[in-house]
Amino acid sequence: MDEEKQSYQHPEIEKKGQKRKLEEVIEEEEDELEIEEEQGTASLTWERIQVIEYEVTEQVTVLNSTFSWGVFDRAAAKRATSIIADLAKSEETVNVIINCNAIPALVKHLQAPPSPFPSGDDGNYEKPFEHEVEKGCAFALGLLTSKPEHQQLIVDSGALPHLVDLLKRRECGCNSRAVNSIIRRAADTITNLAHENGGIKTSVRIEGGLPPLVELLQYPDTKVQRAAAGALRTLAFKNDENKKQIVECNALPILVLMLRSADAAIHSEAVGVIGNLVHSSPDIKKQVLLAGALQPVIGLLSSCCSESQREAALLIGQFATTDSDCKVHIVQRGALQPLIATLQSTDLQLKEMSAFALGRLAQDTHNQAGIVYNGGFLPLLKLLDSKNGPLQHNAAFALYGLADNEDNVSDFVKLGAVQKLQDGEFIFQATKDCIAKTLKRLEEKIHGQVLSHLIYLMRIEDKVVQRRVALALAHLCSPNYLREIFIDNNGLELLLGLLGTTSVKHQRDGSLALYSLANKATLLSPIDAAPTSPTTQVYLGIPFVNNATDSDVTFLVEGTRFYAHRSTLLASSDIFRAMFDGGYREKDARAVEIPNIRLEIFELMMGYIYTGSVDVPIDIAEDLLRAADQYLLEGLKRLCENTIAQHISLDNVSSMYELSEAFNALSLRHLCILFILQNFEKWIKRPGSFHLIKRAVPEICGFFSRSLPKRNHFPQE
């Protein structure tokens, strides 16, 4: 199981920890300052930078001099924060704003000005633009968090305590639009500050920011709920202590209720928070399940909000690692069909999450059959064609799980999955390894009843399925069953039929299957072994080659005498036995003339006869093969064939095959066939190749018929 866990691609949605986009909501109030939209994205000119620096410096000066409850001061501060926020919407101006010392001025105004009355006796004095200046500052600071160093600069300027205090403005008992807006802006700014910054996430917890955020999940205003959930989502991501405190603040029951909200904006944030709490935290995962999250999460798989669907699918995958019972419960509660349906979504991330969840669920035997039964097999198979690496990998891992169930093997075979697994282009090495393990797993399942079922399909199904079965079995079946499959049940005929089609893919598939089959057959019955001579061999050794001492036979080769010994010749081949021990005239001749053989060829041939071995130079291998065939020296023929076979190429394989036919060089012929099958896709494009393959079909059939051993019975398990 550990091996399986390592093989899937764990997805991490970019939304996790992502900054909330701080877009100014235009309040329908008469005194709200209109903010113009940013115009263009061209790089700033030096003149433009100077203008911005002047403008920002002016507004910073205003902020530094207006920290009071005076009407004009508050109005000026409100306008200054709006102008800075407007400029900060362009990332190109952020550095300019920060260099003008805007951050300390903005942080200062995150808090209300001091009371004008002594001893804190506020009286009933008017507080102009109450909450508005603080809201504008929080918004502007949120826009300035585009880089980690900016985030830290804002925190170092003392922003966090003030932002946490702003979260508590609800305690004033006022549920006004201004209070709701400032709380939401504070939560959004905390989200941006903590984005991918573990240190700031911890600082928020230390400053006491988590409890008020959890309380805000029950705030009457839904936008505030959403902002609080977004902040918790970011703060929980990859921070175990934050996760622990969020759970201790009793957030889970509220979050589970939010999952059931009809508002997509609410349940999408809630499922995101739960997803981050659960990630790499088995104990919290159990608490989330005990809190009743499973069913509403499954319900979100059918949400109209794709973000909720993505998070729900990811969460289902994380739940599925808990234990086998949980995997079964997830399926029993109706997760399979929506997960399978989302595999065909146009949303790549949603498909990735769904494939991830199905891969986890597919580690249970019953779920493996259920996924296939509910139509999940083909969508997962199609995802192998994806150019998205994580998506492709998660689909491959799910198929790896499905291959563990014997009931699914026939689906892999008859739907063409074996060929897709073999031919696919996979992006990650981990995916390639997973595919190899899947094929190995299928190979281990093909025996007994599974094999009997596949052979049955190869007999009764339509031609397409029959061919797919034959192709799969050629690659995956044990060599022990090859004769039953390919000779007795016509599997070989199906593969040979593919070579005769006009489809390049069919020809390629058929040739590779036959090549695999031939390699297995060769292991069972080596093709290069020479037949044993019926006569005991007599090897006198090299010193006696062309040695007149005790010689009783003389040959004339190209006018040159060559001395030999009858005993050695008689033991070497039937031709010499007939020549010197039969009724031929050579029996009593003083010198036997050898026509049509060059002297160097004859010398090598005699060297083989006297020693049983010889080095065959490639440049004379064909002539030596001709001589060996003429004198029925089968061992020498094999040596020549092996030398020639080492130099077979696309350019000469056709002539080599014809050579093997001319001299009955069976081993060379088989090696030519193997070469053609291995390189069929390139070879078939050459002139005359199609005619040759038709000539070779009977020989291919004969080869397999001879090399595949018979078995007494077909094993049933």
Side-chain angles (χ1 to χ4, degrees):
M1 189 62 184
D2 291 339
E3 180 184 7
E4 294 173 2
K5 286 183 179 179
Q6 292 173 4
S7 67
Y8 70 86
Q9 184 75 15
H10 188 282
E12 295 210 357
I13 300 182
E14 292 180 5
K15 181 69 174 70
K16 290 179 174 290
Q18 183 182 18
K19 292 185 180 183
R20 298 182 61 83
K21 293 181 179 178
L22 292 173
E23 295 178 350
E24 182 84 29
V25 177
I26 299 177
E27 306 285 356
E28 295 179 359
E29 297 178 358
E30 293 181 357
D31 59 349
E32 179 71 5
L33 178 69
E34 291 188 4
I35 299 178
E36 297 180 356
E37 294 183 357
E38 180 184 351
Q39 299 295 324
T41 59
S43 298
L44 295 176
T45 63
W46 174 248
E47 292 78 7
R48 176 61 177 158
I49 291 174
Q50 288 184 311
V51 170
I52 294 172
E53 285 179 344
Y54 177 81
E55 183 67 48
V56 174
T57 301
E58 284 274 310
Q59 305 312 319
V60 168
T61 301
V62 169
L63 289 174
N64 287 332
S65 61
T66 57
F67 192 54
S68 77
W69 281 112
V71 175
F72 293 109
D73 283 351
R74 293 292 283 177
K78 181 176 183 296
R79 177 175 176 79
T81 59
S82 296
I83 291 172
I84 292 175
D86 188 28
L87 292 170
K89 287 182 179 180
S90 170
E91 288 193 9
E92 293 178 336
T93 65
V94 168
N95 284 332
V96 179
I97 295 170
I98 290 175
N99 291 336
C100 292
N101 295 316
I103 287 179
L106 291 168
V107 169
K108 181 178 180 180
H109 280 268
L110 284 175
Q111 57 187 322
S115 169
F117 296 96
S119 303
D121 182 11
D122 290 350
N124 295 317
Y125 68 92
E126 182 182 0
K127 296 180 180 179
F129 303 109
E130 187 178 15
H131 311 301
E132 295 296 329
V133 177
E134 297 94 310
K135 181 188 74 172
C137 288
F139 177 57
L141 287 170
L143 292 170
L144 295 175
T145 59
S146 57
K147 296 180 181 179
E149 57 267 28
H150 298 165
Q151 295 170 324
Q152 195 60 50
L153 183 59
I154 293 170
V155 171
D156 291 343
S157 297
L160 280 184
H162 299 319
L163 290 169
V164 171
D165 286 341
L166 292 179
L167 296 177
K168 300 175 183 178
R169 287 280 175 104
R170 70 194 185 285
E171 296 173 358
C172 68
C174 177
N175 189 26
S176 70
R177 185 179 220 171
V179 171
N180 296 347
S181 184
I182 193 173
I183 294 174
R184 180 160 52 92
R185 288 292 181 234
D188 287 345
T189 302
I190 289 174
T191 301
N192 278 16
L193 285 172
H195 172 63
E196 295 184 354
N197 194 316
I200 294 178
K201 291 177 185 179
T202 299
S203 296
V204 173
R205 182 183 75 249
I206 293 172
E207 293 292 343
L210 295 180
L213 284 169
V214 172
E215 291 180 22
L216 289 173
L217 295 177
Q218 301 183 78
Y219 196 78
D221 185 86
T222 56
K223 291 181 179 179
V224 172
Q225 292 179 30
R226 180 183 174 192
L232 290 170
R233 180 179 188 173
T234 296
L235 294 168
F237 188 56
K238 294 183 178 180
N239 191 303
D240 292 339
E241 290 301 318
N242 283 5
K243 292 180 187 181
K244 182 179 177 181
Q245 189 173 113
I246 291 169
V247 173
E248 288 173 349
C249 290
N250 205 30
L252 292 183
I254 309 167
L255 290 168
V256 170
L257 290 175
M258 292 171 71
L259 292 176
R260 299 181 183 275
S261 171
D263 186 340
I266 296 296
H267 61 60
S268 67
E269 291 291 0
V271 72
V273 179
I274 293 175
N276 284 358
L277 290 172
V278 165
H279 180 58
S280 300
S281 301
D283 291 338
I284 295 179
K285 188 186 306 180
K286 292 177 183 178
Q287 294 182 61
V288 168
L289 289 170
L290 289 173
L294 180 56
Q295 196 62 55
V297 169
I298 292 174
L300 289 180
L301 293 173
S302 303
S303 169
C304 60
C305 173
S306 59
E307 183 181 339
S308 294
Q309 287 180 299
R310 289 195 296 268
E311 292 285 358
L314 176 59
L315 202 48
I316 292 295
Q318 292 172 325
F319 287 158
T321 63
T322 306
D323 52 50
S324 183
D325 287 343
C326 188
K327 292 182 177 70
V328 174
H329 293 160
I330 290 170
V331 172
Q332 289 174 339
R333 289 169 178 259
L336 276 190
Q337 290 188 348
L339 282 172
I340 291 170
T342 54
L343 291 178
Q344 302 179 64
S345 167
T346 56
D347 186 327
L348 281 178
Q349 275 197 332
L350 177 55
K351 290 194 286 190
E352 180 188 340
M353 300 305 108
S354 298
F356 164 69
L358 288 169
R360 287 294 190 87
L361 293 172
Q363 305 312 307
D364 176 83
T365 302
H366 298 295
N367 290 349
Q368 291 159 1
I371 291 170
V372 174
Y373 179 79
N374 283 277
F377 186 81
L378 276 178
L380 286 169
L381 193 62
K382 290 178 181 178
L383 292 181
L384 293 182
D385 295 328
S386 172
K387 303 303 180 184
N388 178 282
L391 173 58
Q392 187 187 67
H393 184 88
N394 288 340
F397 181 68
L399 291 169
Y400 170 72
L402 300 183
D404 195 36
N405 193 307
E406 290 187 353
D407 293 333
N408 295 339
V409 175
S410 61
D411 291 278
F412 273 89
V413 173
K414 68 183 181 182
L415 295 175
V418 173
Q419 286 75 49
K420 184 176 282 289
L421 293 173
Q422 291 172 328
D423 299 341
E425 296 181 1
F426 305 110
I427 299 168
F428 298 147
Q429 183 58 47
T431 308
K432 297 174 184 177
D433 295 341
C434 185
I435 294 296
K437 291 177 182 177
T438 303
L439 289 169
K440 183 65 177 177
R441 180 171 273 184
L442 290 171
E443 182 179 346
E444 292 169 351
K445 302 290 181 187
I446 297 179
H447 56 79
Q449 291 296 330
V450 173
L451 181 55
S452 296
H453 183 210
L454 292 174
I455 291 177
Y456 175 73
L457 293 177
M458 195 169 67
R459 289 200 305 265
I460 60 96
E461 282 283 1
D462 60 66
K463 184 68 73 174
V464 172
V465 173
Q466 288 179 344
R467 286 174 170 174
R468 287 174 176 172
V469 174
L471 288 169
L473 291 179
H475 291 286
L476 301 179
C477 188
S478 165
N480 295 328
Y481 307 141
L482 295 181
R483 187 173 191 88
E484 287 84 353
I485 298 167
F486 293 98
I487 303 300
D488 300 343
N489 286 282
N490 298 320
L492 182 61
E493 181 180 340
L494 291 167
L495 296 181
L496 291 172
L498 290 170
L499 298 185
T501 66
T502 56
S503 167
V504 174
K505 185 180 186 310
H506 285 169
Q507 292 174 349
R508 176 182 173 276
D509 290 344
S511 63
L512 290 177
L514 286 166
Y515 180 69
S516 174
L517 194 60
N519 282 331
K520 293 179 181 180
T522 302
L523 293 175
L524 297 173
S525 178
I527 62 176
D528 59 350
T532 304
S533 173
T535 305
T536 303
Q537 297 294 103
V538 178
Y539 298 124
L540 295 181
I542 285 292
F544 289 89
V545 176
N546 198 17
N547 191 331
T549 303
D550 297 326
S551 172
D552 52 4
V553 176
T554 302
F555 293 104
L556 288 176
V557 184
E558 293 185 329
T560 301
R561 290 182 176 275
F562 197 99
Y563 301 100
H565 306 80
R566 286 176 181 265
S567 59
T568 298
L569 297 175
L570 291 173
S572 65
S573 82
D574 290 339
I575 294 296
F576 285 120
R577 279 192 291 276
M579 185 182 295
F580 298 112
D581 207 20
Y584 294 96
R585 58 184 177 83
E586 289 87 351
K587 179 178 180 181
D588 300 319
R590 292 178 60 84
V592 179
E593 187 173 357
I594 302 296
N596 305 322
I597 297 181
R598 302 199 315 273
L599 178 59
E600 64 173 327
I601 302 300
F602 190 79
E603 285 178 331
L604 285 173
M605 184 178 78
M606 297 305 288
Y608 172 79
I609 291 173
Y610 275 76
T611 64
S613 65
V614 69
D615 291 332
V616 181
I618 183 59
D619 57 328
I620 60 172
E622 291 186 27
D623 291 337
L624 190 56
L625 173 65
R626 183 180 294 107
D629 181 64
Q630 180 178 339
Y631 287 93
L632 301 183
L633 298 170
E634 293 299 326
L636 181 57
K637 281 181 65 175
R638 292 293 182 271
L639 293 176
C640 295
E641 291 175 67
N642 290 341
T643 297
I644 295 170
Q646 292 174 22
H647 295 80
I648 294 176
S649 67
L650 290 170
D651 293 327
N652 66 18
V653 65
S654 296
S655 61
M656 293 298 101
Y657 187 85
E658 292 174 355
L659 180 72
S660 72
E661 287 185 316
F663 299 112
N664 195 28
L666 193 60
S667 175
L668 178 59
R669 198 177 316 163
H670 290 165
L671 291 170
C672 286
I673 289 172
L674 283 175
F675 181 89
I676 289 172
L677 294 175
Q678 185 181 16
N679 301 277
F680 193 86
E681 196 169 0
K682 297 178 181 178
W683 176 80
I684 196 63
K685 299 174 183 177
R686 293 176 174 256
S689 56
F690 195 75
H691 176 69
L692 178 58
I693 201 65
K694 291 178 68 175
R695 279 170 47 202
V697 164
E699 182 57 42
I700 295 174
C701 293
F703 163 71
F704 285 113
S705 182
R706 289 189 298 272
S707 59
L708 296 179
K710 294 183 179 180
R711 294 174 59 89
N712 294 329
H713 65 283
F714 190 79
Q716 298 290 332
E717 299 177 11

